[in-house]
Amino acid sequence: EEGMDIPSANAVVRYNAMHTAVSLVQGRGRAREAGSDFVVMAQRADRDVATLEAAERAQANYIQGQFGSGAAAAAQPNAADVAVLKDAQRQRNVVGFEVLRAFADKKTAQGSPVAVIHAFCQKARLSPNFEVAASTNYGSNLTFRCTATVSSPLTFGRVAADGTAATKQAAKDAACAVLVRELLAKSV
């Protein structure tokens, strides 16, 4: 780093983090032209290179199977890649299940069951789905039915729960309260 003299560089790419201010200044100083770029590529603890490579290969295989030659074999992911992706999803699920357990054990003030499902999905990097429909009972009372769903094809599959109430929000809360219990049953 120190002592290198590169008279003209419009981009510097660092493949490791700088641990001192001198290292940062020396590295950044190499890209001294106007409009130059300084990029630091560092591995995140929760996203190792093997997991990212496996995800990239799985996506490429899927795209090839859908839009490429159409060969069924091309759409089949490599077993080793699937194992890496499953392991990564399981690790994210563990963090998400901690949120659900804290809520179920009343150890947290997360708020409504809907908020807890959103927190779980954020930690596990999944997407919840809510379908709400209105219906009329025997009288003229309007009720709402909500189906809340979370899917993780690589780990626990699809989990769904229903809730019925007089308002949309109450129906969502009812469905999510059941969904929390159903998901916790999958975590064992």
Side-chain angles (χ1 to χ4, degrees):
E1 291 178 358
E2 293 183 60
M4 289 177 55
D5 185 23
I6 302 170
S8 117
N10 62 3
V12 172
V13 178
R14 293 285 305 251
Y15 289 97
N16 54 5
M18 286 83 46
H19 298 289
T20 67
V22 171
S23 180
L24 173 64
V25 170
Q26 290 292 326
R28 180 64 185 112
R30 302 287 175 253
R32 52 182 91 132
E33 288 185 11
S36 63
D37 293 311
F38 180 69
V39 178
V40 178
M41 299 181 76
Q43 182 172 309
R44 284 177 36 182
D46 64 333
R47 285 187 162 177
D48 59 72
V49 174
T51 302
L52 294 174
E53 288 172 344
E56 185 177 16
R57 282 190 300 272
Q59 289 172 354
N61 286 341
Y62 176 78
I63 290 168
Q64 180 64 31
Q66 294 295 312
F67 305 108
S69 65
Q76 297 301 315
N78 176 317
D81 290 345
V82 171
V84 169
L85 295 173
K86 279 184 179 181
D87 185 53
Q89 184 59 51
R90 280 189 197 104
Q91 290 174 12
R92 290 190 296 268
N93 289 353
V94 166
V95 177
F97 285 129
E98 289 172 5
V99 171
L100 297 180
R101 281 189 200 91
F103 177 76
D105 296 341
K106 309 285 191 242
K107 293 180 183 173
T108 182
Q110 285 283 341
S112 73
V114 175
V116 172
I117 291 298
H118 280 292
F120 166 77
C121 289
Q122 182 180 21
K123 297 289 185 185
R125 295 196 193 127
L126 301 171
S127 297
N129 184 42
F130 303 100
E131 294 178 15
V132 180
S135 64
T136 305
N137 284 345
Y138 295 108
S140 58
N141 296 335
L142 186 64
T143 59
F144 294 90
R145 180 172 185 258
C146 176
T147 301
T149 309
V150 175
S151 296
S152 178
L154 291 174
T155 55
F156 56 76
R158 180 180 181 272
V159 179
D162 293 322
T164 304
T167 66
K168 287 180 184 179
Q169 188 59 48
K172 255 176 118 171
D173 280 335
C176 287
V178 175
L179 188 58
V180 166
R181 290 192 299 273
E182 296 291 328
L183 285 166
L184 284 172
K186 296 282 187 178
S187 74
V188 178

